[in-house]
Amino acid sequence: QVVLVESGGGSVQSGSSLRLSCAASGDTIRTYCMAWFRQAPGKEREAVAGIGSSGGTSYADSAKGRFTISRDNAKNTLSLQMDSLKPEDTAAYYCAAAHRDSRLCPLIKLMYNYWGQGTQVTVSS
């Protein structure tokens, strides 16, 4: 069982950058699909980006060209570099994991059974 803890959220202005981190413990994430999801108030939790065990990435359309997901299996961490932030990126961001050794990981919420507690990102115009 893996425990996930996010950090790095905050309040920034439109056009700024933030880097979110997710520290995993309890198991090595080497054979896990890892992903970032987000949830804005009153909305469904949605996928942002995913990364497979060997580094293959996938992004939601809203994240393409602005966000970069990465993982460090040696440090058991997951990161999300967010650039050119917009007010519509305001949400709680969640780190998620699924025990699936795959090059590419589907951005399907139900596939992920380990979740962090979330970190808030607020972008003002």
Side-chain angles (χ1 to χ4, degrees):
Q1 180 158 341
V2 63
V3 177
L4 306 170
V5 178
E6 303 95 335
S7 61
S11 295
V12 296
Q13 296 213 323
S14 183
S16 299
S17 298
L18 275 176
R19 186 176 182 86
L20 304 184
S21 295
C22 173
S25 61
D27 197 2
T28 174
I29 63 170
R30 193 175 303 275
T31 55
Y32 282 73
C33 275
M34 302 296 296
W36 288 97
F37 287 76
R38 68 185 183 186
Q39 187 168 17
K43 294 189 176 181
E44 293 285 323
R45 190 170 297 189
E46 63 178 12
V48 176
I51 186 167
S53 53
S54 57
T57 58
S58 51
Y59 294 92
D61 288 344
S62 59
K64 286 178 183 176
R66 300 188 301 125
F67 294 2
T68 303
I69 189 171
S70 60
R71 65 192 294 162
D72 187 331
N73 290 337
K75 294 183 178 180
N76 235 28
T77 58
L78 176 73
S79 297
L80 183 69
Q81 176 66 40
M82 304 188 294
D83 298 320
S84 303
L85 283 162
K86 305 174 182 179
E88 50 264 44
D89 295 318
T90 295
Y93 283 71
Y94 297 89
C95 174
H99 200 177
R100 175 173 172 158
D101 193 355
S102 178
R103 187 181 72 85
L104 287 175
C105 297
L107 296 178
I108 302 171
K109 187 170 54 178
L110 289 177
M111 192 186 89
Y112 295 86
N113 50 350
Y114 299 104
W115 295 85
Q117 84 288 349
T119 186
Q120 180 66 34
V121 172
T122 302
V123 185
S124 58
S125 57

